[in-house]
Amino acid sequence: MTQATAMFVMFILYGVLPAAGIYLGYRGVKKLTQPKMLEYKAMPQLGSIPEKSMPQEVAQKLALINEKGEKLKRLYGDTNNDGVIDDKDAVNETYVMIKNVMDIHIPEAVADYRRLHDLDSNVNKTVVISAEKSGDALSRADTTKIKNSNMTGRQALLEVLNTVDTQFDGLLDAAYHQDGQKLLATNRYLQQRFEK
């Protein structure tokens, strides 16, 4: 083995491999310790939210709304049934309303709640510390009533999400019945045609 080959092998064994091991170890530890993020495909403006910063019931409601919103966008936005919502589709008022709720109103409501949640500096520290000991981290947004109302920030956010969820259920039901009526009308038309 020549001296150049030996130096190259030493460089690989004592330089590159340890550096690669340190880098991969760093990436692995970083990946294991980073918080789990919640992402919503139909609401990209919502961004990625750390799972720890959202109460479980809010995260579940957001997941339901995300799923229903995605279905509604396809139902009301893809009018030519080509699988893509683009300029060729005839956009109606219902689609615009769904898009605005998903792109503007829900992300703003969640951002407002998160700001309330972040106001938790030292004001309510004793409640937060005692709640963390019991395993259920509560914040000011979860315990303090909003002025001139009988709701906490968490209850207000859940009220907004429940309203959206109920309205989306109504829109899904309406789409189902509308398409069902089309099927019934097609069936009646075909029966009349074949009877003649």
Side-chain angles (χ1 to χ4, degrees):
M1 184 173 351
T2 65
Q3 186 176 7
T5 307
M7 287 179 63
F8 178 73
V9 169
M10 297 269 295
F11 174 73
I12 297 293
L13 289 176
Y14 295 110
V16 174
L17 289 177
I22 290 170
Y23 174 74
L24 291 174
Y26 167 75
R27 294 285 296 195
V29 167
K30 189 175 177 184
K31 188 166 189 99
L32 289 174
T33 58
Q34 77 182 19
K36 183 177 177 191
M37 303 299 269
L38 301 171
E39 295 184 50
Y40 302 99
K41 184 179 176 187
M43 297 181 281
Q45 289 76 3
L46 201 53
S48 297
I49 301 170
E51 186 179 35
K52 291 192 291 187
S53 73
M54 273 297 165
Q56 187 175 4
E57 58 191 333
V58 172
Q60 289 172 346
K61 189 60 78 170
L62 282 171
L64 272 172
I65 290 172
N66 181 58
E67 184 181 320
K68 291 175 185 177
E70 204 168 337
K71 286 179 188 175
L72 286 169
K73 278 183 176 180
R74 278 195 312 268
L75 283 170
Y76 288 100
D78 187 15
T79 55
N80 61 1
N81 292 325
D82 63 354
V84 179
I85 301 171
D86 53 13
D87 293 340
K88 297 174 186 171
D89 294 307
V91 177
N92 60 20
E93 187 178 338
T94 306
Y95 175 74
V96 172
M97 186 264 310
I98 293 165
K99 189 159 176 43
N100 283 339
V101 166
M102 301 290 285
D103 293 348
I104 299 169
H105 300 294
I106 292 176
E108 282 180 2
V110 170
D112 291 341
Y113 171 77
R114 291 185 72 201
R115 272 194 302 277
L116 286 174
H117 200 275
D118 292 342
L119 289 175
D120 234 3
S121 57
N122 292 328
V123 177
N124 209 9
K125 210 60 160 176
T126 56
V127 173
V128 172
I129 290 170
S130 64
E132 285 175 353
K133 287 179 183 173
S134 70
D136 184 26
L138 295 174
S139 71
R140 186 176 185 191
D142 299 333
T143 58
T144 306
K145 303 279 185 195
I146 299 169
K147 190 174 185 176
N148 299 327
S149 78
N150 197 21
M151 299 176 106
T152 64
R154 179 189 223 167
Q155 291 168 336
L157 177 62
L158 282 170
E159 192 72 25
V160 168
L161 297 178
N162 285 333
T163 300
V164 170
D165 188 38
T166 302
Q167 294 304 315
F168 280 7
D169 282 340
L171 288 171
L172 285 169
D173 287 344
Y176 172 80
H177 292 298
Q178 181 181 8
D179 289 342
Q181 290 297 324
K182 287 179 188 175
L183 284 172
L184 292 174
T186 302
N187 186 35
R188 284 192 297 269
Y189 170 76
L190 290 174
Q191 283 179 346
Q192 289 174 355
R193 295 290 288 172
F194 287 129
E195 286 175 2
K196 292 181 181 180

